[in-house]
Amino acid sequence: MTRSEFDDIRAHIDAEADHPGDLIRVARSLLSDLEDARMREATLRAYYLRLLTAARATVAAEAAGYPEPLTFLTDELGKRGQLPATQDEVNRILADAHTAAALLACLEQAPIAAAGKGARARRCAGTSRSLPR
């Protein structure tokens, strides 16, 4: 859920606190969204673990002198459809990697100042959604 959806739910609860049926529907919706988010997180963790394992195996294979150490990583990327198919794609991927490295270096040099305890950034105002009754 987005931050504005949570804000809409808070506003709805504040305005309609005397309608228990609405609150139960909101609670069920939140539980469903939480379950979906946990499943997405578990899937992403599994993908990350597989990629990390392939990367470590690649480095270990190179250190052990295997003839084709990239096999582990190539296989994992191929399963996900992430191997570059053209030279243009190779160039774009390399450019993205250089850009990402430069951005990370900038963030490490000047980290974003953390907001004070309990402080909350102002959100953009937009069209409000109404929750079902």
Side-chain angles (χ1 to χ4, degrees):
M1 288 186 112
T2 65
R3 180 129 199 151
S4 67
E5 287 173 318
F6 281 114
D7 289 341
D8 290 345
I9 290 170
R10 281 187 193 97
H12 178 74
I13 290 170
D14 290 342
E16 304 290 333
D18 57 337
H19 299 300
D22 286 347
L23 296 179
I24 289 172
R25 272 193 300 273
V26 168
R28 285 187 178 135
S29 175
L30 288 172
L31 285 173
S32 177
D33 286 349
L34 179 61
E35 188 175 81
D36 290 345
R38 291 184 76 131
M39 287 302 295
R40 283 190 307 270
E41 179 188 10
T43 301
L44 288 173
R45 284 178 181 264
Y47 288 159
Y48 172 78
L49 180 60
R50 290 173 75 162
L51 185 59
L52 181 61
T53 301
R56 294 184 76 220
T58 297
V59 171
E62 182 180 40
Y66 281 31
E68 295 197 30
L70 289 176
T71 301
F72 299 103
L73 198 51
T74 303
D75 182 55
E76 187 60 32
L77 291 174
K79 288 177 187 176
R80 307 275 166 244
Q82 296 295 316
L83 290 173
T86 65
Q87 188 59 42
D88 285 341
E89 194 173 357
V90 168
N91 293 337
R92 183 182 49 79
I93 290 169
L94 291 173
D96 289 348
H98 289 295
T99 302
L103 288 172
L104 288 173
C106 285
L107 286 175
E108 289 172 356
Q109 290 175 0
I112 299 171
K117 186 176 181 181
R120 195 171 143 211
R122 295 179 56 93
R123 70 179 180 94
C124 296
T127 306
S128 177
R129 294 182 302 111
S130 62
L131 293 172
R133 286 201 158 214

mmCIF file of all heavy atoms in Angstrom, residues 1-22:
data_model
loop_
_atom_site.group_PDB
_atom_site.id
_atom_site.type_symbol
_atom_site.label_atom_id
_atom_site.label_comp_id
_atom_site.label_asym_id
_atom_site.label_seq_id
_atom_site.Cartn_x
_atom_site.Cartn_y
_atom_site.Cartn_z
ATOM 1 N N MET A 1 0.838 -1.181 0.000
ATOM 2 C CA MET A 1 0.000 0.000 0.000
ATOM 3 C C MET A 1 0.878 1.237 0.000
ATOM 4 O O MET A 1 1.939 1.238 0.599
ATOM 5 C CB MET A 1 -0.877 0.045 1.244
ATOM 6 C CG MET A 1 -2.005 -0.942 1.276
ATOM 7 S SD MET A 1 -3.042 -0.644 2.699
ATOM 8 C CE MET A 1 -4.476 -0.088 1.859
ATOM 9 N N THR A 2 0.370 2.253 -0.618
ATOM 10 C CA THR A 2 1.115 3.507 -0.643
ATOM 11 C C THR A 2 0.828 4.307 0.622
ATOM 12 O O THR A 2 -0.148 4.050 1.335
ATOM 13 C CB THR A 2 0.725 4.350 -1.868
ATOM 14 O OG1 THR A 2 -0.649 4.729 -1.746
ATOM 15 C CG2 THR A 2 0.941 3.574 -3.166
ATOM 16 N N ARG A 3 1.664 5.277 0.858
ATOM 17 C CA ARG A 3 1.490 6.135 2.041
ATOM 18 C C ARG A 3 0.140 6.858 1.997
ATOM 19 O O ARG A 3 -0.531 6.999 3.004
ATOM 20 C CB ARG A 3 2.628 7.132 2.093
ATOM 21 C CG ARG A 3 2.533 8.060 3.260
ATOM 22 C CD ARG A 3 3.816 8.061 3.954
ATOM 23 N NE ARG A 3 3.704 8.557 5.275
ATOM 24 C CZ ARG A 3 4.501 8.147 6.210
ATOM 25 N NH1 ARG A 3 5.380 7.248 5.949
ATOM 26 N NH2 ARG A 3 4.419 8.641 7.405
ATOM 27 N N SER A 4 -0.265 7.318 0.810
ATOM 28 C CA SER A 4 -1.537 8.038 0.716
ATOM 29 C C SER A 4 -2.716 7.113 1.001
ATOM 30 O O SER A 4 -3.730 7.545 1.549
ATOM 31 C CB SER A 4 -1.691 8.708 -0.653
ATOM 32 O OG SER A 4 -1.807 7.744 -1.659
ATOM 33 N N GLU A 5 -2.586 5.821 0.647
ATOM 34 C CA GLU A 5 -3.666 4.869 0.975
ATOM 35 C C GLU A 5 -3.781 4.698 2.484
ATOM 36 O O GLU A 5 -4.891 4.641 3.027
ATOM 37 C CB GLU A 5 -3.417 3.528 0.290
ATOM 38 C CG GLU A 5 -3.665 3.575 -1.206
ATOM 39 C CD GLU A 5 -3.263 2.298 -1.914
ATOM 40 O OE1 GLU A 5 -2.190 1.733 -1.581
ATOM 41 O OE2 GLU A 5 -4.023 1.869 -2.796
ATOM 42 N N PHE A 6 -2.637 4.629 3.169
ATOM 43 C CA PHE A 6 -2.682 4.546 4.626
ATOM 44 C C PHE A 6 -3.293 5.820 5.213
ATOM 45 O O PHE A 6 -4.084 5.758 6.153
ATOM 46 C CB PHE A 6 -1.285 4.318 5.211
ATOM 47 C CG PHE A 6 -0.812 2.897 5.111
ATOM 48 C CD1 PHE A 6 0.272 2.575 4.317
ATOM 49 C CD2 PHE A 6 -1.450 1.884 5.811
ATOM 50 C CE1 PHE A 6 0.711 1.264 4.219
ATOM 51 C CE2 PHE A 6 -1.012 0.573 5.725
ATOM 52 C CZ PHE A 6 0.072 0.262 4.925
ATOM 53 N N ASP A 7 -2.934 6.973 4.670
ATOM 54 C CA ASP A 7 -3.509 8.230 5.152
ATOM 55 C C ASP A 7 -5.017 8.264 4.927
ATOM 56 O O ASP A 7 -5.774 8.743 5.780
ATOM 57 C CB ASP A 7 -2.846 9.421 4.459
ATOM 58 C CG ASP A 7 -1.404 9.634 4.913
ATOM 59 O OD1 ASP A 7 -1.031 9.116 5.986
ATOM 60 O OD2 ASP A 7 -0.659 10.314 4.186
ATOM 61 N N ASP A 8 -5.458 7.754 3.768
ATOM 62 C CA ASP A 8 -6.897 7.695 3.494
ATOM 63 C C ASP A 8 -7.608 6.790 4.492
ATOM 64 O O ASP A 8 -8.703 7.103 4.967
ATOM 65 C CB ASP A 8 -7.160 7.194 2.072
ATOM 66 C CG ASP A 8 -6.768 8.199 1.001
ATOM 67 O OD1 ASP A 8 -6.562 9.389 1.349
ATOM 68 O OD2 ASP A 8 -6.671 7.795 -0.171
ATOM 69 N N ILE A 9 -6.992 5.675 4.832
ATOM 70 C CA ILE A 9 -7.597 4.753 5.794
ATOM 71 C C ILE A 9 -7.672 5.401 7.170
ATOM 72 O O ILE A 9 -8.701 5.316 7.857
ATOM 73 C CB ILE A 9 -6.805 3.428 5.841
ATOM 74 C CG1 ILE A 9 -7.032 2.667 4.535
ATOM 75 C CG2 ILE A 9 -7.227 2.583 7.045
ATOM 76 C CD1 ILE A 9 -6.116 1.472 4.348
ATOM 77 N N ARG A 10 -6.593 6.077 7.566
ATOM 78 C CA ARG A 10 -6.618 6.778 8.865
ATOM 79 C C ARG A 10 -7.740 7.807 8.902
ATOM 80 O O ARG A 10 -8.471 7.916 9.893
ATOM 81 C CB ARG A 10 -5.284 7.469 9.109
ATOM 82 C CG ARG A 10 -4.209 6.555 9.586
ATOM 83 C CD ARG A 10 -2.946 7.332 9.983
ATOM 84 N NE ARG A 10 -1.843 6.431 10.151
ATOM 85 C CZ ARG A 10 -0.923 6.162 9.229
ATOM 86 N NH1 ARG A 10 -0.950 6.781 8.072
ATOM 87 N NH2 ARG A 10 0.039 5.310 9.469
ATOM 88 N N ALA A 11 -7.876 8.583 7.828
ATOM 89 C CA ALA A 11 -8.929 9.600 7.769
ATOM 90 C C ALA A 11 -10.306 8.945 7.826
ATOM 91 O O ALA A 11 -11.216 9.444 8.503
ATOM 92 C CB ALA A 11 -8.784 10.435 6.502
ATOM 93 N N HIS A 12 -10.456 7.837 7.134
ATOM 94 C CA HIS A 12 -11.744 7.128 7.136
ATOM 95 C C HIS A 12 -12.077 6.620 8.532
ATOM 96 O O HIS A 12 -13.211 6.758 9.000
ATOM 97 C CB HIS A 12 -11.695 5.964 6.143
ATOM 98 C CG HIS A 12 -12.949 5.161 6.100
ATOM 99 N ND1 HIS A 12 -14.097 5.624 5.509
ATOM 100 C CD2 HIS A 12 -13.239 3.930 6.586
ATOM 101 C CE1 HIS A 12 -15.044 4.714 5.622
ATOM 102 N NE2 HIS A 12 -14.539 3.675 6.272
ATOM 103 N N ILE A 13 -11.101 6.059 9.222
ATOM 104 C CA ILE A 13 -11.324 5.555 10.573
ATOM 105 C C ILE A 13 -11.698 6.700 11.505
ATOM 106 O O ILE A 13 -12.622 6.578 12.322
ATOM 107 C CB ILE A 13 -10.078 4.793 11.089
ATOM 108 C CG1 ILE A 13 -9.934 3.477 10.317
ATOM 109 C CG2 ILE A 13 -10.153 4.541 12.593
ATOM 110 C CD1 ILE A 13 -8.630 2.751 10.567
ATOM 111 N N ASP A 14 -11.002 7.822 11.388
ATOM 112 C CA ASP A 14 -11.311 8.974 12.229
ATOM 113 C C ASP A 14 -12.714 9.507 11.964
ATOM 114 O O ASP A 14 -13.438 9.884 12.882
ATOM 115 C CB ASP A 14 -10.290 10.098 12.003
ATOM 116 C CG ASP A 14 -8.922 9.749 12.553
ATOM 117 O OD1 ASP A 14 -8.827 8.821 13.385
ATOM 118 O OD2 ASP A 14 -7.944 10.391 12.136
ATOM 119 N N ALA A 15 -13.125 9.535 10.696
ATOM 120 C CA ALA A 15 -14.428 10.100 10.331
ATOM 121 C C ALA A 15 -15.570 9.123 10.590
ATOM 122 O O ALA A 15 -16.696 9.545 10.871
ATOM 123 C CB ALA A 15 -14.422 10.502 8.864
ATOM 124 N N GLU A 16 -15.302 7.831 10.493
ATOM 125 C CA GLU A 16 -16.367 6.836 10.564
ATOM 126 C C GLU A 16 -16.175 5.857 11.712
ATOM 127 O O GLU A 16 -16.506 4.681 11.590
ATOM 128 C CB GLU A 16 -16.427 6.057 9.239
ATOM 129 C CG GLU A 16 -16.610 6.911 8.010
ATOM 130 C CD GLU A 16 -18.005 7.519 7.929
ATOM 131 O OE1 GLU A 16 -18.951 6.929 8.471
ATOM 132 O OE2 GLU A 16 -18.122 8.587 7.315
ATOM 133 N N ALA A 17 -15.667 6.333 12.825
ATOM 134 C CA ALA A 17 -15.340 5.432 13.922
ATOM 135 C C ALA A 17 -16.567 4.734 14.510
ATOM 136 O O ALA A 17 -16.441 3.746 15.203
ATOM 137 C CB ALA A 17 -14.609 6.194 15.020
ATOM 138 N N ASP A 18 -17.764 5.223 14.205
ATOM 139 C CA ASP A 18 -18.959 4.618 14.791
ATOM 140 C C ASP A 18 -19.581 3.533 13.899
ATOM 141 O O ASP A 18 -20.654 3.036 14.185
ATOM 142 C CB ASP A 18 -19.985 5.700 15.106
ATOM 143 C CG ASP A 18 -20.367 6.510 13.885
ATOM 144 O OD1 ASP A 18 -19.573 6.548 12.933
ATOM 145 O OD2 ASP A 18 -21.464 7.114 13.895
ATOM 146 N N HIS A 19 -18.911 3.142 12.819
ATOM 147 C CA HIS A 19 -19.402 2.091 11.930
ATOM 148 C C HIS A 19 -18.468 0.885 11.992
ATOM 149 O O HIS A 19 -17.518 0.788 11.235
ATOM 150 C CB HIS A 19 -19.499 2.583 10.483
ATOM 151 C CG HIS A 19 -20.442 3.725 10.299
ATOM 152 N ND1 HIS A 19 -21.776 3.639 10.605
ATOM 153 C CD2 HIS A 19 -20.251 4.986 9.855
ATOM 154 C CE1 HIS A 19 -22.373 4.797 10.348
ATOM 155 N NE2 HIS A 19 -21.461 5.637 9.902
ATOM 156 N N PRO A 20 -18.735 -0.067 12.898
ATOM 157 C CA PRO A 20 -17.827 -1.206 13.062
ATOM 158 C C PRO A 20 -17.685 -2.044 11.804
ATOM 159 O O PRO A 20 -16.623 -2.606 11.548
ATOM 160 C CB PRO A 20 -18.440 -2.024 14.187
ATOM 161 C CG PRO A 20 -19.634 -1.297 14.666
ATOM 162 C CD PRO A 20 -19.837 -0.097 13.824
ATOM 163 N N GLY A 21 -18.715 -2.134 10.984
ATOM 164 C CA GLY A 21 -18.624 -2.918 9.748
ATOM 165 C C GLY A 21 -17.568 -2.380 8.814
ATOM 166 O O GLY A 21 -16.822 -3.142 8.186
ATOM 167 N N ASP A 22 -17.500 -1.048 8.718
ATOM 168 C CA ASP A 22 -16.470 -0.426 7.872
ATOM 169 C C ASP A 22 -15.074 -0.730 8.402
ATOM 170 O O ASP A 22 -14.160 -1.013 7.629
ATOM 171 C CB ASP A 22 -16.661 1.094 7.823
ATOM 172 C CG ASP A 22 -17.848 1.504 6.961
ATOM 173 O OD1 ASP A 22 -18.354 0.644 6.211
ATOM 174 O OD2 ASP A 22 -18.244 2.675 7.041
#
